[in-house]
Amino acid sequence: MPNNFYTKKVMNHFKKPHNYGRLEKADGVGTVGNAVCGDVMRLYIKIGLDKKKQEVIKDIKFETFGCVAAIASSSAITDLAKGKTLKSALKISKAGIADSLGGLPPVKMHCSLLASDALAEAAYDYLFSNKKEIPSDLEAKHKQISKDRKRTEKKYKDWMEEQKKIMDKN
Amino acid sequence: MAKISEKKPNKNQARRQNIYMDYGAATPVDPRVLKSLSRFPSEFFGNTMSLHSFGRKAKAKLEESREILADLINAEPREIIFTGSATESNNLALKGIASANRQKGGHIIISPIEHSCVKESADWLEGQGFEISRLKVDEYGLVDPREVKKLIRKDTILVSVMHANNEIGTIEPIEEIGKICRNKGVYFHTDAAQSLGKIPIDVKKMNIDLLTGSSQKMYGPKGAACLFVRKGIKINPILHGGGQEFGLRPATVNVPAVYGFAKAGLFCGKEMRKESEKLRKLRDKLIKGIKAKISGAFLNGHPQKRLPNNINFRFEFIEGEALIAKLDIKGIAASTGSACSSEKLQPSHVLLAIGLAPQKAHGSLRLTLGRWTTDKEVNYVLEVLPEIIKELREISPFKK
Ligand code: FES
């Protein structure tokens, strides 16, 4: 990990992450795994209604097992999403997260994707378990994430097999 | 990761520690070595191939260096070839032996925990039509000499097993493997980049035919390394040019770096016993302390058969890059085998080879001690590390 690899903003989030921990009685929980390196991120959201009766993210917390960028991205997305309507929170992209961190190294962009995926999954969980209508793009994203998850599992399996290969070669 | 650069030092920074525990990656040059090099640029700059006095002066230093390093491993000076890096030495050993012994056969045996320069050289040779067998290692990273014996065939030309592993510090049963190879008439190479100067090496007693050593892992300057090649071994150069280094490494020799390497070797040889004793104590204190203070901490590598300066732990529910970054913030330099910290985003092949699942290899921490490590520094690490692990576990979804 070279010097100046991460921006000051990334390091500040990493040093003092915002909104970490479990959220008791969450309305939605999203857990995603990193398709690239096999790390795990979980977001909890609590939903309330604003004056216009729109669903807003009242509270949000994260738990992350991953690298500096993954932890900083988790912290950043909780800041970005808190208080936003569900609809606009779902528009937070990996680029938006990276921007709010003053940029991420290219090899670490997938770590910010992890954060936006986790939020989508938490929203999906909330809508699904409350039998609410799920926007079609969220539905599509959910499908994609499930597919990625399977791929991760498969990748782990490949790794396991590779490891076995190394161990039993000959 | 080096220290985070901040222009204006503030009060906090003044108190910031600066503890280097990554001696396995690179060592600082010993000031005594540096001193011995101070007259080099003006006095010994000549080309060792020149016939005039300038060349002869440089040549004399080169030959003196050869003698010192030969002494360190009980070899003859003529058997020491200077190269530019351990990577080059390992490439020369594998490819040089392969190309010179094609007649006899194309089978090479290596361990699965070799440094990438041996691993990749073997992979490359495999692509060139050689057949590579990879040994197994046990959970500690130990090669079983009996397996070496079983795998040797009529067409086997080389066995390459490292002396001590760079990540987990395990010391391989080199003497036994050497004996088997000698009896079977197969060349035996060992990569001793991590062990030379730290633990005793006797190429005669250990039946070693080729051995790689590196200056920058033993308090010498970068840009110098060696390959011991036993007299009578059939080997080809991989570079072609002038006749330097007995034709095996034909390039202008970097005499200042080589001389620094030799000087460093001299001090390592003289002080090995005392230094390794000191390091072993500090190492064991760290290992004991970490086990006592942190739950879910497992030692990687062999508890006894390990380098005196190597500590490698795996922590449950921890990712290594984040751990290294936290330590760096506290002023401690260390390294990890986590996938997130590697360019290819894959965990270390060594940790996979000792049977760790990728998720488990994620949480590894390597601390390598050295000449200037103090008891105070060890105490500081033991004070800071449990806190950091706690912090990271608190934000992990895996905690109970
Ligand atoms: S979580 Fe593995 S690289 Fe970021």
Side-chain angles (χ1 to χ4, degrees):
Chain A
M1 207 171 26
N3 197 4
N4 302 332
F5 189 61
Y6 290 122
T7 65
K8 219 171 177 160
K9 279 187 185 155
V10 170
M11 289 314 288
N12 285 340
H13 273 284
F14 174 68
K15 280 186 214 171
K16 287 206 166 57
H18 308 162
N19 309 305
Y20 69 84
R22 185 164 299 172
L23 190 59
E24 300 302 335
K25 300 205 194 93
D27 296 314
V29 182
T31 306
V32 290
N34 208 327
V36 184
C37 57
D39 297 303
V40 180
M41 189 182 293
R42 181 176 295 156
L43 278 183
Y44 301 87
I45 52 173
K46 195 141 193 68
I47 302 293
L49 294 179
D50 66 0
K51 286 188 201 110
K52 289 189 223 146
K53 298 268 185 251
Q54 293 191 86
E55 291 158 313
V56 291
I57 298 182
K58 275 259 144 80
D59 202 0
I60 175 165
K61 282 195 167 180
F62 81 86
E63 289 177 323
T64 293
F65 165 73
C67 72
V68 174
I71 291 171
S73 298
S74 317
S75 172
I77 201 171
T78 63
D79 282 352
L80 293 171
K82 208 171 191 167
K84 280 215 171 87
T85 61
L86 201 53
K87 218 169 129 198
S88 59
L90 283 171
K91 292 207 181 92
I92 301 169
S93 65
K94 69 171 179 184
I97 297 166
D99 282 350
S100 83
L101 290 168
L104 278 175
V107 288
K108 295 287 182 179
M109 279 307 281
H110 68 276
C111 314
S112 63
L113 176 64
L114 198 59
S116 70
D117 280 357
L119 184 59
E121 284 291 273
Y124 184 93
D125 179 43
Y126 160 72
L127 295 172
F128 185 83
S129 46
N130 288 286
K131 305 207 167 52
K132 294 190 180 245
E133 195 191 322
I134 294 167
S136 61
D137 47 345
L138 184 60
E139 185 74 62
K141 199 163 185 184
H142 173 70
K143 276 209 182 109
Q144 183 59 45
I145 292 167
S146 311
K147 227 170 91 190
D148 286 349
R149 180 173 300 137
K150 288 216 182 84
R151 215 177 53 204
T152 307
E153 276 158 17
K154 194 179 156 281
K155 177 154 190 177
Y156 265 131
K157 234 172 78 205
D158 286 352
W159 272 346
M160 304 287 193
E161 270 158 23
E162 183 180 320
Q163 170 196 336
K164 241 186 117 225
K165 244 188 2 223
I166 296 173
M167 311 235 354
D168 329 304
K169 210 153 189 175
N170 311 302
Chain B
M1 193 164 92
K3 57 187 164 189
I4 293 159
S5 65
E6 270 151 326
K7 267 137 233 138
K8 285 170 263 142
N10 55 32
K11 268 194 237 132
N12 280 341
Q13 237 196 331
R15 258 185 278 126
R16 189 174 178 268
Q17 304 271 343
N18 229 330
I19 296 179
Y20 188 69
M21 288 209 181
D22 205 12
Y23 283 88
T27 53
V29 177
D30 190 305
R32 295 169 295 182
V33 170
L34 218 50
K35 212 174 135 214
S36 73
L37 290 178
S38 61
R39 287 184 319 166
F40 248 85
S42 51
E43 260 189 65
F44 304 105
F45 63 89
N47 189 319
T48 56
M49 298 298 269
S50 303
L51 295 177
H52 46 62
S53 64
F54 297 90
R56 284 201 305 273
K57 260 175 124 172
K59 177 90 171 143
K61 287 288 177 198
L62 174 62
E63 294 317 319
E64 186 188 332
S65 307
R66 220 184 289 287
E67 273 167 36
I68 294 172
L69 283 165
D71 253 9
L72 186 62
I73 57 173
N74 193 23
E76 308 302 322
R78 171 68 178 75
E79 296 174 320
I80 302 292
I81 311 296
F82 288 113
T83 68
S85 64
T87 293
E88 192 193 330
S89 295
N90 283 333
N91 270 265
L92 174 57
L94 269 79
K95 296 174 186 169
I97 290 289
S99 93
N101 296 277
R102 209 58 242 233
Q103 227 89 42
K104 185 188 169 198
H107 181 230
I108 294 169
I109 301 170
I110 67 168
S111 91
I113 58 168
E114 293 300 308
H115 188 275
S116 57
C117 55
V118 168
K119 192 171 155 259
E120 301 278 322
S121 292
D123 287 353
W124 184 81
L125 285 168
E126 201 164 30
Q128 301 296 309
F130 287 87
E131 197 184 328
I132 310 293
S133 293
R134 291 163 187 87
L135 295 152
K136 284 179 229 161
V137 288
D138 67 8
E139 63 195 297
Y140 300 119
L142 280 174
V143 166
D144 183 352
R146 284 171 303 185
E147 202 203 352
V148 177
K149 196 170 179 180
K150 261 205 310 230
L151 286 185
I152 290 178
R153 319 186 304 216
K154 266 214 181 73
D155 60 339
T156 306
I157 50 176
L158 179 70
V159 172
S160 182
V161 175
M162 69 201 320
H163 188 196
N165 182 265
N166 49 314
E167 287 182 44
I168 56 174
T170 298
I171 299 171
E172 299 296 342
I174 291 307
E175 196 173 333
E176 285 171 79
I177 298 171
K179 203 166 160 192
I180 290 165
C181 294
R182 186 61 53 84
N183 286 341
K184 296 251 182 189
V186 173
Y187 292 150
F188 176 47
H189 166 249
T190 190
D191 173 4
Q194 289 289 336
S195 57
L196 181 62
K198 297 194 184 88
I199 52 176
I201 294 178
D202 180 330
V203 290
K204 294 206 172 83
K205 192 169 146 238
M206 294 167 137
N207 305 302
I208 295 165
D209 295 313
L210 303 114
L211 177 139
T212 295
S214 169
S215 166
Q216 63 124 355
K217 306 281 192 207
M218 46 187 275
Y219 311 101
K222 296 193 170 46
C226 69
L227 182 66
F228 155 77
V229 181
R230 178 180 297 286
K231 221 167 41 214
I233 297 285
K234 266 173 78 183
I235 181 169
N236 284 339
I238 51 175
L239 300 177
H240 299 92
Q244 292 96 333
E245 297 303 288
F246 318 110
L248 268 181
R249 207 274 188 169
T252 300
V253 182
N254 184 353
V255 183
V258 161
Y259 189 64
F261 179 17
K263 275 279 169 184
L266 202 61
F267 292 121
C268 283
K270 269 196 204 142
E271 295 159 12
M272 187 183 295
R273 187 181 270 201
K274 237 174 104 193
E275 188 162 283
S276 59
E277 199 135 301
K278 168 197 135 177
L279 290 175
R280 213 168 275 134
K281 268 197 197 123
L282 293 174
R283 175 197 75 186
D284 292 343
K285 181 173 177 176
L286 261 171
I287 292 177
K288 249 174 98 184
I290 289 173
K291 276 189 182 160
K293 290 186 168 195
I294 302 171
S295 63
F298 305 95
L299 185 71
N300 290 323
H302 200 281
Q304 285 92 35
K305 292 174 192 163
R306 77 186 298 133
L307 286 171
N309 72 325
N310 175 292
I311 294 118
N312 192 313
F313 266 94
R314 166 172 81 75
F315 298 103
E316 261 174 346
F317 315 131
I318 297 288
E319 186 284 312
E321 193 213 61
L323 177 55
I324 297 301
K326 286 256 180 200
L327 284 167
D328 186 58
I329 291 166
K330 295 283 187 189
I332 300 165
S335 70
T336 176
S338 160
C340 300
S341 71
S342 78
E343 250 157 74
K344 288 183 231 150
L345 295 173
Q346 287 202 1
S348 119
H349 68 281
V350 175
L351 299 176
L352 295 181
I354 61 171
L356 292 187
Q359 318 80 289
K360 290 187 171 170
H362 250 24
S364 79
L365 169 70
R366 182 186 77 166
L367 298 166
T368 38
L369 316 180
R371 192 160 286 166
W372 293 281
T373 306
T374 63
D375 195 49
K376 231 169 112 192
E377 291 179 337
V378 166
N379 289 340
Y380 179 71
V381 170
L382 284 175
E383 180 192 315
V384 167
L385 186 60
E387 263 310 298
I388 291 177
I389 298 282
K390 202 175 131 215
E391 275 171 43
L392 287 172
R393 281 185 180 158
E394 246 156 44
I395 62 173
S396 164
F398 294 130
K399 61 166 188 272
K400 287 143 248 171

